[in-house]
Amino acid sequence: MKGFINRIIENSFIDGPGNRMAIFMQGCNMACLYCHNPETQRMCTRCGKCLEVCETGALSIEEGKIKYNKKKCIGCDRCLEGCLNFSSPKYFEIESDELVKLILDNEMFLDGITFSGGECTLQTDFIVDVVKKVKKNSSLTAFIDTNGFIKEEDLNKLISCVDGFMFDVKAVNDDIHRTLTGVSNEVIFKNLKILAKTELLYEVRYVLVEGYNDNIEEIKGLSELLKELNDYTRLVLIPFRPFGVKTHLKNMLPFNREKYDIIYEEIYKILKERVIKKD
Amino acid sequence: MNVFEIISNTNIDYKEKRHLLAQAAENTLTYVNLSVKTEKHLKKGILCDIFEGHAPYRPRYILPDYEKFIKNGSEYLGIEPPKDMYEAVNALMIIYQYVPSITGYPVYVGQLDYILQKFVDTVSEKEARNLIKMLLINIEKTLPDAFVHMNIGPKETKAGRMILEIERELKKAVPNISLKYSKEETSPDFAKFAAEVALEIGKPYFVNHQEIKDILGENYGVASCYNTLKIGGGSYTLVRLNLKKAAQEAKDYNDFIENILPNVVDSLCEVINARAKFIVEEAKFFETSFLAREGLIDINNFTSMAGIFGLYECIELLTGLKLGHDDEATKYGEEILEKIKKVIDEIEGYGCFGTGGKIGFHAQSGIDSDIDVTAGVRIKIGSEPSIYNQIKTEGRLHKYFNTGVSDIYIFDKTARQNIDGVIKIIDAAMKSGIKVFALNTSDSELIRITGYLVKRSDVEKYNRGEALREDTVKLGAESIKNNKTLDRRVREIE
């Protein structure tokens, strides 16, 4: 089975417990205003715009497909900026067996693997295939980094084979969620509740965006909900950073630190050690 | 520098001048006797004695048995066996002033956690902490040289933890610290704490205790950069072979293996043996040293070291392959090292009783004046592959060395938030055969040069022309310029 991958980071300390290989899948079902990796959102439409801006000849069209020559690429990322479709000429197709081999070759260095994106669960069957093969041959754990907008059928498949979810909640208020992401959060909260009742909801991530989702009462509400749902899921409060944002909110300032600390203190009262502070 | 240039140099202080003047005096003698062939190799720079001097009068590295000193005291120094922490710390501070080495400072200050642990309960916890702090500050101020090396571990002790806590607070380049690390003996908690400290201040090193214990026995120490030698012993000398330059002499790979290598390695051993013999027979070091008289060192624990460097360029020149990026390159690397080891082992090492009568094999980590040649068996700075491939490649090469080999792995600052992940990599490195694992973060104030640390701010001061206490800052500053030290690949986490 084949999967579409934007890139693989062999050594990541920030995508779950321990040292992990992070696999960023191509394609997303949201379009967040502050997306930090907009080039992972959509599949290539072969419009050829990226060819026009590439100065080193690393890109070409062969048989109607964009070909990317890694050796010629200098990493200037002009192709990503020039892409009108929130995609990338650099993502690639990989056979699950090939990915499994790369993972198992480095097994001794790893605690596990993490699928991220884009929205990795759009390629659930590929993930399940890889995870089953990896688990058959190693004791590595598999984590899913998701926006929570998952089809019921896919969620069930994943629950049956992975070890943890890192689950984004973009906003508690549905209108704000729609504004920030383009979709309703109804399914997301439904999935959050399902996962919270398993042992797999490793953490919930909440990016604080000034003027959008930083209403303290709403974040308190989310914290109360997590407290009620189970006794283990961590809540990671992440201050917005403009770094990497190329679209609507690219000119927004980093989230105010004083405000962040106040929110953290309030949430700490509810969740104690379960709330995680980020720089 | 000639004598006048040393005396009138405004970039170095009094102590360093005195050291250089002693060197100049030594070098008025002719070089120890060598064959014409070997002299030629030295002149060409294929061999390099790292400016040890013409007529060596003390071993390069000495690892006194400080435990024995603490147990017995010293007649020569007029010191009774210490009864409490005060006396122990005082005794150590005194003996350090009497330990010779190539740098003029002791390159090994002992297994301090185990030594001090015995006295920790003779005073209150606060006093113990203050005394350890005083000792560490004293070492830093009176032995201002980043080759001064302390060992801790493998077992966790109260004293060991205090040492790391205080070092973390002091943030000084001196002393260098090695943690003898073993999954069986080091508690996970202590290992994690040590990794946390290392990510902040570039030390301690993680030393593969199991591997080195298997080679040298339990009673070994890590001295100077990362030389692994027997306690109560040391190394007379370290002479190194520039594999890049040797490769330039060869017609092809086959010529290199069959003709050039045996010839230059034979010369390498000749220089080493001549120097060791001079120390023992002409300078009569063991007859004049109180360390030997009082059994704190024993010739039976000594050896010499044959160093090599520039394996990366050697392979590239002879085969066009890049170490770390091509499995074939690693195979060539193994073959080259195997050949060198074989030639070394065919020759008797003068006075090398500590390593079975053969000269020790060492991957030398480079000196400040090396340009366009990579340290030891490391992968060229800036060309490192993924950290996994780097470790897997180097692990296969580390197995040949019995007296020291290491590499430095630079992590992004996010590593500090995930120490479990860092430990996972260290454990995998130990399993892969990495003997000494140094870690650092890219934004650290302390920069690990080749096997020692310097402060970023001190390098800037040196570059402005200020005289500094630590002679290693000068070496570090030159090394950063010449060896692109700051371009080491950062293990970035996105």
Side-chain angles (χ1 to χ4, degrees):
Chain A
M1 181 177 280
K2 281 184 174 176
F4 293 95
I5 290 178
N6 183 279
R7 65 179 160 163
I8 296 170
I9 294 180
E10 293 189 6
N11 157 219
S12 169
F13 293 135
I14 56 169
D15 290 290
N19 183 36
R20 314 190 73 80
M21 189 179 286
I23 300 145
F24 291 81
M25 313 289 289
Q26 185 71 19
C28 190
N29 47 14
M30 289 186 184
C32 298
L33 295 185
Y34 61 83
C35 180
H36 287 80
N37 307 299
E39 72 280 4
T40 63
Q41 285 185 15
R42 306 282 168 262
M43 306 312 279
C44 176
T45 58
R46 301 165 188 178
C47 71
K49 277 279 172 210
C50 51
L51 268 75
E52 294 169 19
V53 291
C54 179
E55 288 180 357
T56 61
L59 300 175
S60 60
I61 282 203
E62 281 172 39
E63 295 167 7
K65 278 189 176 177
I66 308 279
K67 284 266 176 187
Y68 165 57
N69 183 339
K70 201 175 175 182
K71 283 187 180 152
K72 287 189 179 172
C73 178
I74 53 165
C76 70
D77 283 354
R78 291 224 176 105
C79 53
L80 305 184
E81 284 161 24
C83 180
L84 305 173
N85 186 43
F86 299 106
S87 188
S88 162
K90 298 184 191 177
Y91 75 76
F92 55 93
E93 257 184 284
I94 191 170
E95 276 292 340
S96 55
D97 286 345
E98 200 185 326
L99 179 58
V100 170
K101 183 176 182 307
L102 176 69
I103 296 163
L104 293 177
D105 278 351
N106 294 302
E107 184 198 347
M108 69 187 301
F109 296 96
L110 296 169
D111 291 289
I113 52 174
T114 296
F115 292 91
S116 184
E119 175 50 34
C120 66
T121 62
L122 293 174
Q123 300 185 59
T124 291
D125 289 342
F126 175 77
I127 293 176
V128 170
D129 191 27
V130 172
V131 170
K132 283 191 173 159
K133 285 171 178 160
V134 166
K135 285 182 170 278
K136 199 177 155 195
N137 295 294
S138 76
S139 57
L140 295 177
T141 59
F143 273 62
I144 300 293
D145 181 356
T146 175
N147 62 21
F149 198 38
I150 315 171
K151 280 192 278 183
E152 193 180 339
E153 181 196 352
D154 288 339
L155 184 65
N156 289 334
K157 284 182 193 167
L158 291 167
I159 286 175
S160 69
C161 75
V162 304
D163 302 274
F165 286 79
M166 287 167 291
F167 193 108
D168 286 357
V169 171
K170 313 278 186 185
V172 177
N173 175 300
D174 193 36
D175 290 335
I176 293 170
H177 198 277
R178 283 170 194 271
T179 308
L180 271 176
T181 69
V183 304
S184 161
N185 65 13
E186 197 185 326
V187 174
I188 292 157
F189 272 92
K190 188 178 143 222
N191 287 339
L192 178 75
K193 286 170 190 164
I194 293 171
L195 280 172
K197 292 296 171 194
T198 67
E199 288 169 349
L200 302 177
L201 189 60
Y202 175 70
E203 73 184 23
V204 169
R205 295 172 166 182
Y206 192 89
V207 178
L208 289 157
V209 189
E210 189 112 37
Y212 284 86
N213 62 5
D214 57 344
N215 180 311
I216 183 76
E217 292 310 318
E218 288 178 12
I219 308 166
K220 275 187 182 169
L222 174 65
S223 308
E224 293 288 0
L225 175 67
L226 286 178
K227 194 179 165 187
E228 194 187 302
L229 284 170
N230 68 33
D231 60 0
Y232 73 92
T233 301
R234 329 186 312 165
L235 173 63
V236 187
L237 291 177
I238 304 167
F240 168 82
R241 287 244 184 85
F243 183 70
V245 179
K246 289 161 195 157
T247 50
H248 307 73
L249 300 186
K250 67 180 174 197
N251 295 323
M252 184 178 253
L253 293 172
F255 194 81
N256 182 288
R257 196 68 208 177
E258 273 173 42
K259 200 167 174 182
Y260 178 92
D261 289 338
I262 294 167
I263 293 172
Y264 172 82
E265 292 303 327
E266 285 299 312
I267 302 308
Y268 186 85
K269 287 178 196 161
I270 301 166
L271 285 173
K272 305 289 178 215
E273 271 77 34
R274 286 172 61 186
V275 60
I276 308 293
K277 205 172 193 170
K278 284 280 172 190
D279 290 334
Chain B
M1 279 191 282
N2 66 31
V3 170
F4 181 76
E5 282 165 348
I6 295 167
I7 290 174
S8 60
N9 193 321
T10 54
N11 229 347
I12 46 182
D13 71 359
Y14 160 72
K15 248 189 151 177
E16 175 68 1
K17 283 183 184 182
R18 200 177 54 178
H19 180 67
L20 291 173
L21 287 170
Q23 213 171 45
E26 181 191 336
N27 289 346
T28 58
L29 296 182
T30 52
Y31 205 91
V32 291
N33 281 335
L34 297 175
S35 66
V36 174
K37 161 191 116 168
T38 298
E39 271 184 1
K40 204 176 77 191
H41 289 143
L42 270 171
K43 267 208 190 90
K44 273 190 170 176
I46 296 170
L47 300 180
C48 161
D49 70 359
I50 327 186
F51 316 108
E52 276 189 7
H54 291 186
Y57 52 96
R58 75 296 193 201
R60 179 182 181 88
Y61 300 139
I62 296 175
L63 290 78
D65 186 342
Y66 293 111
E67 269 187 59
K68 195 169 185 184
F69 163 67
I70 291 293
K71 194 167 156 241
N72 299 342
S74 163
E75 200 188 321
Y76 176 79
L77 296 174
I79 289 179
E80 292 291 316
K83 291 183 289 298
D84 61 21
M85 186 89 164
Y86 285 92
E87 290 184 5
V89 165
N90 194 33
L92 287 167
M93 293 196 306
I94 291 166
I95 196 174
Y96 293 152
Q97 304 299 325
Y98 292 84
V99 179
S101 83
I102 193 69
T103 63
Y105 298 106
V107 292
Y108 175 72
V109 291
Q111 180 81 35
L112 280 188
D113 56 344
Y114 285 12
I115 291 175
L116 295 173
Q117 182 59 31
K118 290 179 186 145
F119 299 97
V120 157
D121 294 331
T122 61
V123 292
S124 72
E125 183 158 338
K126 194 171 168 224
E127 278 173 301
R129 190 173 289 274
N130 284 343
L131 283 164
I132 290 177
K133 189 170 177 178
M134 186 179 82
L135 176 64
L136 293 172
I137 291 173
N138 185 281
I139 288 173
E140 201 265 328
K141 301 299 178 202
T142 64
L143 314 171
D145 181 291
F147 298 122
V148 171
H149 206 133
M150 171 204 297
N151 293 185
I152 57 173
K155 290 197 173 68
E156 176 175 2
T157 58
K158 211 198 255 181
R161 194 172 268 271
M162 279 185 194
I163 287 170
L164 288 183
E165 282 166 359
I166 295 164
E167 278 293 310
R168 182 188 212 173
E169 179 192 321
L170 294 174
K171 289 192 176 41
K172 297 288 186 192
V174 182
N176 217 341
I177 306 177
S178 278
L179 167 69
K180 294 176 178 176
Y181 174 61
S182 140
K183 201 99 183 102
E184 284 69 46
E185 296 180 59
T186 313
S187 76
D189 196 47
F190 191 53
K192 276 173 74 171
F193 179 60
E196 210 177 296
V197 173
L199 287 171
E200 206 173 313
I201 61 169
K203 55 187 179 179
Y205 284 134
F206 279 69
V207 174
N208 198 332
H209 182 59
Q210 195 55 50
E211 289 255 341
I212 296 171
K213 197 172 76 173
D214 287 348
I215 299 168
L216 296 173
E218 189 89 43
N219 219 17
Y220 74 90
V222 186
S224 192
C225 277
Y226 50 81
N227 306 274
T228 46
L229 296 160
K230 280 189 176 167
I231 293 174
S235 176
Y236 304 108
T237 179
L238 164 60
V239 183
R240 55 184 202 145
L241 163 61
N242 184 336
L243 288 173
K244 180 187 177 183
K245 284 210 168 151
Q248 283 165 343
E249 301 280 307
K251 285 202 293 280
D252 51 33
Y253 179 74
N254 202 39
D255 182 40
F256 180 74
I257 287 286
E258 296 305 327
N259 305 313
I260 303 290
L261 261 191
N263 186 7
V264 293
V265 175
D266 180 69
S267 280
L268 176 68
C269 296
E270 184 192 333
V271 184
I272 288 167
N273 281 339
R275 298 184 64 81
K277 190 168 183 220
F278 192 92
I279 293 168
V280 176
E281 295 180 13
E282 302 295 329
K284 302 179 183 64
F285 176 78
F286 290 91
E287 292 164 43
T288 56
S289 166
F290 83 97
L291 295 170
R293 264 200 318 278
E294 300 191 0
L296 302 179
I297 56 173
D298 184 331
I299 197 167
N300 289 311
N301 292 323
F302 270 78
T303 190
S304 289
M305 291 192 293
I308 55 116
F309 67 113
L311 181 69
Y312 182 93
E313 285 79 11
C314 171
I315 293 170
E316 194 179 30
L317 260 168
L318 294 170
T319 68
L321 299 171
K322 290 190 187 312
L323 189 63
H325 298 272
D326 200 316
D327 191 54
E328 275 297 292
T330 318
K331 284 184 192 153
Y332 280 112
E334 289 178 309
E335 194 178 9
I336 291 166
L337 297 177
E338 216 158 272
K339 180 78 185 186
I340 299 172
K341 180 94 173 99
K342 187 167 167 273
V343 179
I344 290 174
D345 286 349
E346 278 165 2
I347 297 167
E348 192 191 337
Y350 179 92
C352 293
F353 309 112
T355 49
K358 309 293 178 194
I359 295 167
F361 194 21
H362 177 83
Q364 207 276 332
S365 65
I367 57 174
D368 57 318
S369 55
D370 292 340
I371 297 175
D372 291 334
V373 55
T374 300
V377 296
R378 292 180 190 170
I379 292 161
K380 188 175 170 181
I381 289 178
S383 302
E384 299 96 333
S386 82
I387 189 165
Y388 309 147
N389 283 340
Q390 186 180 357
I391 288 172
K392 281 191 271 192
T393 302
E394 291 173 347
R396 281 165 62 183
L397 305 176
H398 279 211
K399 64 175 176 276
Y400 297 97
F401 299 95
N402 57 352
T403 54
V405 58
S406 79
D407 204 358
I408 304 162
Y409 303 90
I410 311 283
F411 291 100
D412 180 88
K413 64 179 178 184
T414 60
R416 294 194 187 119
Q417 297 164 19
N418 191 339
I419 301 297
D420 287 327
V422 176
I423 291 286
K424 182 80 193 179
I425 292 178
I426 294 173
D427 284 341
M430 299 285 135
K431 264 189 227 152
S432 308
I434 297 293
K435 289 214 167 80
V436 177
F437 186 106
L439 60 161
N440 214 181
T441 45
S442 49
D443 60 346
S444 173
E445 160 66 6
L446 292 161
I447 310 164
R448 193 163 283 283
I449 302 296
T450 53
Y452 59 96
L453 289 163
V454 295
K455 267 199 151 182
R456 222 177 265 270
S457 51
D458 281 346
V459 169
E460 283 155 20
K461 279 187 207 162
Y462 172 79
N463 288 338
R464 287 199 298 269
E466 292 177 31
L468 293 160
R469 268 189 313 118
E470 292 166 28
D471 51 2
T472 31
V473 172
K474 175 187 67 187
L475 301 178
E478 295 301 328
S479 193
I480 286 170
K481 271 188 237 159
N482 294 338
N483 303 330
K484 305 189 177 81
T485 305
L486 297 181
D487 296 339
R488 276 194 194 110
R489 180 162 168 194
V490 177
R491 305 306 166 181
E492 53 189 304
I493 316 306
E494 296 167 45

